[in-house]
Amino acid sequence: MSTNPLNEAELAEILQIAQAGEKKLREMSDRATIISEKWRIKTQSLEPTPVKTESKITLA
């Protein structure tokens, strides 16, 4: 099996695609960080909901 080396134009196109993908991933990560921070602030400002601990299970 032989491989042909890529020419400069093909390498430039691959680099451009990779950089665009990296930019998109960074944007998605930044957006996820913003959303998670908003969620953290929202959940910290809420009063805790009381939990009922009563159980109808009885031991015989």
Side-chain angles (χ1 to χ4, degrees):
M1 177 200 288
S2 67
T3 59
N4 295 331
L6 300 174
N7 64 37
E8 192 172 330
E10 292 170 324
L11 288 172
E13 182 180 357
I14 291 169
L15 178 60
Q16 188 176 24
I17 292 168
Q19 288 173 334
E22 182 182 23
K23 180 182 177 196
K24 186 65 176 175
L25 284 173
R26 192 176 303 114
E27 289 170 358
M28 292 167 55
S29 176
D30 291 348
R31 179 74 178 135
T33 300
I34 291 167
I35 291 171
S36 66
E37 185 64 15
K38 285 181 179 179
W39 179 255
R40 184 187 65 79
I41 291 167
K42 181 179 179 180
T43 58
Q44 283 183 347
S45 65
L46 297 176
E47 291 293 321
T49 306
V51 177
K52 290 186 176 182
T53 57
E54 297 175 17
S55 175
K56 297 186 180 215
I57 299 174
T58 57
L59 299 174

